[in-house]
């Protein structure tokens, strides 16, 4: 009898332990929103000391708060974000990421929360004066960040067309460094980081003609349509109450 009682006790205890464990693990999982980014992209994501800050980081924090989740930001290579989302490693990819047809084949995108423009950075005295010069007969070398739309478009329009060479860098800032020392003739990158990089350097400028206009959105696994809906609802609310605009204004001064 005693034996049976203690057996029951042990069983009951272990059930409790398992139940508690299960609950804890589940909670930890469902309450965390893991965002993959590439923190080389001011003012959307960059480091302030050890912390990733910027427009994306703050919008993600506002979304997480609305969803009652805890935001965790993981900094990774830009071109690894979508494969990792597909593999279920992170919940969302938020990295000033442009919605493209190719990416839509792999992931879902939230509603867009910002517009981006691909621009061309050149040296102040460059003979490149318009975007059209890049598809001329001068065979320029174009610096880009690997896997970005700047990379994709210039690969298609210029390199694949035999009109120039694309030089790929892990970071946009590295492409800009290469431009400074004359290793590339221009850099194609999004307008806001372009402004930040040019402001930090001497002798560089942004061409007046834009290369392409695009929409930024949050990448989410196709398997997680529930999260997609929740994020879109949160984005709508944060747009309606002015939160998104306040965050953008904090980082981008309307000149
Ligand atoms: N908008 C471009 C793209 O989606 C560049 C984004 C780069 N973002 C970053 N965090 N490095 O390809």
């Amino acid at each position: 009898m005693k034996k049976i009682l203690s057996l029951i006790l042990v069983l009951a205890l272990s059930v409790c332990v398992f139940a508690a464990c299960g609950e804890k693990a589940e909670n930890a999982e469902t309450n965390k929103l893991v965002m993959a980014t590439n923190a080389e992209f001011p003012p959307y994501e960059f480091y302030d000391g050890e912390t990733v800050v910027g427009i994306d980081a703050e919008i993600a924090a506002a979304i997480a708060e609305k969803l009652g989740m805890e935001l965790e930001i993981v900094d990774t290579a830009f071109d690894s974000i979508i494969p990792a989302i597909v593999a279920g490693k992170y919940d969302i990819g938020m990295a000033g990421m442009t919605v493209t047809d190719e990416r839509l084949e792999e992931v879902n995108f939230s509603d867009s929360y910002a517009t981006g423009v691909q621009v061309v950075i050149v040296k102040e005295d460059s003979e490149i004066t318009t975007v059209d010069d890049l598809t001329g007969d001068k065979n320029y070398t174009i610096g880009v960040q690997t896997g970005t739309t700047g990379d994709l478009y210039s690969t298609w329009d210029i390199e694949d067309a035999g009109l120039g060479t694309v030089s790929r860098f892990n970071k946009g800032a590295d492409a800009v460094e290469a431009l400074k020392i004359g290793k590339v003739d221009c850099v194609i990158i999004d307008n806001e980081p372009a402004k930040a990089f040019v402001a930090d350097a001497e002798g560089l400028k942004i061409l007046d003609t834009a290369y392409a206009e695009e929409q930024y959105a949050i990448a989410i696994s196709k398997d997680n349509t529930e999260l997609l809906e929740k994020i879109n609802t949160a984005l709508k609310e944060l747009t309606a109450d002015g939160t998104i605009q306040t965050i953008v204004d904090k980082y981008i001064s309307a000149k």
Side-chain angles (χ1 to χ4, degrees):
M1 187 66 189
K2 228 179 164 190
K3 250 193 187 157
I4 292 177
L5 262 184
S6 52
L7 189 67
I8 289 174
L9 198 66
V10 167
L11 275 177
L13 264 179
S14 52
V15 166
C16 280
V17 167
F18 273 122
C21 273
E23 204 178 287
K24 226 178 167 187
E26 204 176 276
N27 262 342
E29 231 174 65
T30 49
N31 273 333
K32 224 181 208 179
L33 183 69
V34 186
M35 157 181 159
T37 195
N38 170 247
E40 308 287 348
F41 201 69
Y44 289 93
E45 43 267 333
F46 57 100
Y47 278 94
D48 179 10
E50 303 273 283
T51 319
V52 176
V53 297
I55 295 172
D56 286 344
E58 290 206 24
I59 293 178
I63 290 173
E65 201 189 324
K66 277 226 176 268
L67 304 187
M69 297 172 100
E70 185 200 326
L71 178 69
E72 183 189 323
I73 299 180
V74 179
D75 183 19
T76 183
F78 182 76
D79 60 345
S80 75
I81 296 176
I82 290 195
I85 298 282
V86 171
K89 208 169 158 197
Y90 311 117
D91 301 313
I92 60 171
M94 198 168 179
M97 191 180 283
T98 304
V99 181
T100 69
D101 290 342
E102 295 72 25
R103 290 173 182 166
L104 277 167
E105 280 175 17
E106 298 183 72
V107 292
N108 281 332
F109 276 102
S110 71
D111 294 336
S112 172
Y113 62 89
T115 308
V117 184
Q118 294 298 310
V119 296
V120 184
I121 310 177
V122 291
K123 280 195 177 166
E124 256 160 14
D125 58 0
S126 174
E127 59 173 19
I128 301 171
T129 55
T130 73
V131 166
D132 290 340
D133 290 343
L134 298 179
T135 46
D137 55 8
K138 291 282 175 70
N139 256 283
Y140 292 118
T141 301
I142 293 115
V144 298
Q145 183 182 21
T146 309
T148 58
T149 46
D151 179 2
L152 302 178
Y153 302 156
S154 55
T155 302
W156 295 331
D157 295 351
I158 301 166
E159 194 165 73
D160 291 353
L163 301 171
T165 310
V166 177
S167 191
R168 299 171 185 85
F169 297 86
N170 284 334
K171 309 173 183 184
D174 291 348
V176 173
E177 283 309 311
L179 174 61
K180 283 194 213 159
I181 57 172
K183 285 213 161 155
V184 301
D185 300 303
C186 68
V187 171
I188 297 183
I189 196 164
D190 305 51
N191 56 333
E192 288 303 331
K195 281 193 226 162
F197 293 143
V198 167
D200 268 358
E202 243 169 62
L204 299 184
K205 66 174 183 189
I206 299 172
L207 292 187
D208 292 334
T209 48
Y211 191 64
E213 273 199 29
E214 32 190 46
Q215 296 297 321
Y216 293 166
I218 303 169
I220 305 163
S221 161
K222 292 206 185 210
D223 296 334
N224 206 347
T225 47
E226 195 189 325
L227 183 63
L228 174 70
E229 276 164 34
K230 282 191 195 164
I231 286 185
N232 277 338
T233 305
L235 274 176
K236 277 196 191 83
E237 290 171 7
L238 293 166
T239 305
D241 72 7
T243 305
I244 304 252
Q245 194 57 50
T246 307
I247 294 171
V248 170
D249 290 346
K250 180 171 160 191
Y251 289 96
I252 302 176
S253 57
K255 270 174 244 152

